[in-house]
Amino acid sequence: LDLSNCSLHSLPAGLAEAATARVLDLTENPLTTLPDGSFVGFIYLQNLTVPLTLECPGGSGAWQDVTVDRSSRLCQVQRNLCNSSVELVWPCPENSVCAPDGPGLTQCLCDNPFHGYKCLRE
């Protein structure tokens, strides 16, 4: 998805509809911030290019490779925080498993046949 040089001062309202995007280019836009939650659900995103003034969503630890050039920052290959040695801030409850939910984000999904609040219903 090429949104470069679109004079964006903020992310488009419908960006969440592009959650299956693998490549996203936001360079050459006067963006000053990427609000928290902007990339919730973007689990397939593998290459994100942002203006140099912005950090990679989730921080550099959420990506395997961060490359900086004169005008942009390339964030490549999301790390799966569920498979890392870093302890999760919010551990998943019993009867659930950790799953990626976008750059630097995780979610807890109930194991089958469990569901509901804290995966307590069977």
Side-chain angles (χ1 to χ4, degrees):
L1 180 58
D2 185 359
L3 296 177
S4 64
N5 202 18
C6 290
S7 301
L8 298 174
H9 291 275
S10 62
L11 294 178
L15 185 64
E17 295 177 30
T20 58
R22 294 185 183 277
V23 177
L24 177 57
D25 187 348
L26 295 171
T27 57
E28 300 179 41
N29 285 297
L31 294 167
T32 56
T33 184
L34 296 175
D36 289 342
S38 297
F39 294 98
V40 170
F42 280 73
I43 59 174
Y44 304 107
L45 189 60
Q46 294 302 305
N47 289 315
L48 172 64
T49 311
V50 296
L52 186 58
T53 56
L54 299 178
E55 295 296 323
C56 295
S60 58
W63 302 87
Q64 286 186 17
D65 190 31
V66 176
T67 308
V68 175
D69 68 19
R70 292 184 310 227
S71 62
S72 65
R73 185 178 318 272
L74 175 60
C75 317
Q76 293 182 291
V77 188
Q78 282 187 62
R79 292 184 191 270
N80 182 345
L81 298 182
C82 296
N83 295 340
S84 73
S85 60
V86 176
E87 189 173 326
L88 294 174
V89 173
W90 190 268
C92 290
E94 190 176 344
N95 305 321
S96 69
V97 295
C98 180
D101 198 22
L105 303 168
T106 59
Q107 61 181 329
C108 297
L109 301 176
C110 296
D111 281 332
N112 198 11
F114 295 95
H115 65 280
Y117 178 70
K118 291 191 178 183
C119 302
L120 294 174
R121 294 188 179 150
E122 192 170 354

